[in-house]
Amino acid sequence: MRILFTVAYLDGYHGSVLHVREIAEYLASAKGGNHNVTVGSIFITSEIERMFKTRGINVFLLGSIDVSIRYDIVFAYHFPTIEFLLKRGLQCKKMVLGTLSGYEYLETLPNFHKNSSMIIAMSEEARSNHCELYGFEEGCIGILENCIPDKFVDFKFTHELPEDIPKRIAVVSNHVPAELWKMKEYLPVNTAVTYFGNGTESYQEITPKVLSDYDVVVTIGKTVQYSMGLGIPVFEYDHFGGNGYITPSNMESEALTNFSGRSTMRKLSAEKLAMELVEDYPKAKSDSNILRQLAIDKFLLSIRVDELMNKILEAPNFSYDFTNVTYNENLDFAHGEAFCNWTGALKSDNFILKQSIECYKKEIETLNDMIKKLNENIEAIQNTRGYKLLEFLRRIKRKITFK
């Protein structure tokens, strides 16, 4: 089948990019059906484009999507993207509207949502918020949580977890709060912390190999599922706060809010964070195998996506009468087109500006290093016997000249 995904920005290792990539990668694989999968976006960085293409996924800017193709299934995230393509003449058999959040404006649903084949939300929280804010009936929105890609379950995890005190902690976050930076000061001397994510020392794709070196992962969102799939104790905490270690008894309740920390919004001091991480670790470690199996049963990507595909094929076809578009819907399409065109240009300019700033920073660092070395050389010359003798002779000459 020909399958198209739309997403606003392919610009980093964050939730929407990874969510789309994982499902698209599975559907393009032999296990997932060897489908012809394309992803369309407003803005694409070369690094993320490579990440998709090396997995057999076509990637195009929205304006370059071939709308003469009739797609079998379109998974549409971030509503202006699909409005932009429909205005260009996109056609498909099935339309799945996806929403990854209940409070981000880009995650609201388009006016023609009733014409779609299916609507899916990331979590029970997202579904409930859409029902409360926009009057949707709960029965019309399904749920597809963040899944555990099969490679996390299949990975041969050989790292021996310590029994009592974690020695290596990974913090995975694109928005590390101050208390997570400061907690290092209160951890045991032999416990090391490594930070991953935007604004940290290591901004990269989080793979099974990356996480397999750690005894505990502190994070929220999809990295919680990654960690559970590997059998690594995972501590839910980030800028919303969090509920601490995920356990067999709280996994289901935390999943309702996508392991975001929003279930309790519990904020801790750096000292309290360090204390909980250490004191509650032995129990979390002993529960890790049970938790792993519960997570696999609920979140394994191949099973969940296969189930979703079966439901999509049984769902009504996307039906939209373009000869009878209302005034409001025409405005929606125009707004979607304007949003995609303008934000695409702004994103591109902003990306170029950031790259320029980084280049200037490196140039300034290089110049500062050169200045430092010159000053060191000058100081070294001034400390030589020859320079000191010459300076002594200059003083004598100035005295003679003055007389």
Side-chain angles (χ1 to χ4, degrees), residues 342-390:
W342 280 99
T343 61
L346 289 171
K347 271 278 186 180
S348 180
D349 290 345
N350 186 49
F351 183 73
I352 292 168
L353 183 60
K354 282 183 176 179
Q355 285 186 317
S356 299
I357 290 170
E358 290 303 314
C359 288
Y360 291 139
K361 281 182 180 178
K362 289 177 182 177
E363 286 183 17
I364 291 169
E365 286 173 6
T366 302
L367 288 171
N368 284 336
D369 288 341
M370 289 172 64
I371 292 168
K372 183 180 177 183
K373 287 176 182 177
L374 284 171
N375 286 332
E376 288 171 354
N377 289 337
I378 291 169
E379 186 177 349
I381 291 169
Q382 288 173 338
N383 288 327
T384 62
R385 290 179 64 186
Y387 182 88
K388 289 177 180 177
L389 177 59
L390 185 62

Side-chain angles (χ1 to χ4, degrees), residues 8-167:
Y9 311 119
L10 297 179
D11 60 347
Y13 301 105
H14 54 78
S16 59
V17 172
L18 297 174
H19 179 76
V20 167
R21 195 218 70 201
E22 287 164 3
I23 300 172
E25 179 181 0
Y26 175 69
L27 292 173
S29 71
K31 189 174 182 180
N34 280 324
H35 300 293
N36 186 322
V37 182
T38 298
V39 177
S41 184
I42 299 169
F43 176 73
I44 307 165
T45 64
S46 57
E47 183 179 1
I48 302 304
E49 181 179 19
R50 281 194 302 273
M51 182 177 74
F52 276 78
K53 287 187 172 180
T54 55
R55 290 162 169 84
I57 304 163
N58 306 306
V59 180
F60 296 103
L61 291 171
L62 289 180
S64 300
I65 294 290
D66 186 353
V67 293
S68 67
I69 295 172
R70 180 178 168 82
Y71 289 91
D72 296 290
I73 303 173
V74 172
F75 290 89
Y77 292 94
H78 304 143
F79 72 95
T81 60
I82 191 60
E83 291 178 342
F84 176 84
L85 288 175
L86 287 173
K87 190 171 188 297
R88 289 186 59 223
L90 179 76
Q91 297 183 50
C92 64
K93 185 175 180 181
K94 308 284 186 179
M95 172 80 72
V96 180
L97 299 177
T99 176
L100 304 175
S101 167
Y103 58 88
E104 292 284 354
Y105 291 127
L106 259 184
E107 304 291 352
T108 52
L109 297 165
N111 266 333
F112 61 84
H113 59 83
K114 290 183 179 178
N115 302 86
S116 67
S117 306
M118 185 182 294
I119 302 171
I120 51 174
M122 170 65 74
S123 64
E124 181 58 47
E125 176 192 42
R127 175 164 68 181
S128 297
N129 284 355
H130 278 280
C131 293
E132 282 181 32
L133 294 172
Y134 308 113
F136 288 94
E137 295 181 7
E138 284 202 5
C140 75
I141 302 178
I143 293 177
L144 178 68
E145 300 101 333
N146 278 320
C147 297
I148 305 174
D150 292 39
K151 64 184 178 183
F152 283 86
V153 174
D154 298 336
F155 184 81
K156 302 303 180 188
F157 184 60
T158 57
H159 176 61
E160 285 288 333
L161 296 174
E163 292 295 330
D164 50 358
I165 297 175
K167 298 294 190 292

Side-chain angles (χ1 to χ4, degrees), residues 235-304:
F235 191 95
E236 177 196 273
Y237 197 90
D238 206 299
H239 61 313
F240 293 118
N243 207 31
Y245 280 107
I246 301 300
T247 68
S249 60
N250 71 15
M251 185 191 81
E252 290 283 352
S253 59
E254 293 305 305
L256 296 177
T257 53
N258 192 29
F259 299 104
S260 61
R262 288 190 295 270
S263 63
T264 59
M265 304 286 279
R266 186 183 70 127
K267 300 285 281 186
L268 300 176
S269 67
E271 186 176 5
K272 180 66 173 171
L273 271 169
M275 186 174 72
E276 273 198 24
L277 272 165
V278 174
E279 290 185 357
D280 295 347
Y281 170 77
K283 181 67 167 68
K285 192 260 180 186
S286 68
D287 285 342
S288 58
N289 287 331
I290 298 171
L291 182 62
R292 179 175 185 266
Q293 192 55 56
L294 289 171
I296 291 170
D297 292 343
K298 183 174 178 63
F299 301 115
L300 187 63
L301 187 140
S302 57
I303 293 175
R304 295 304 311 278

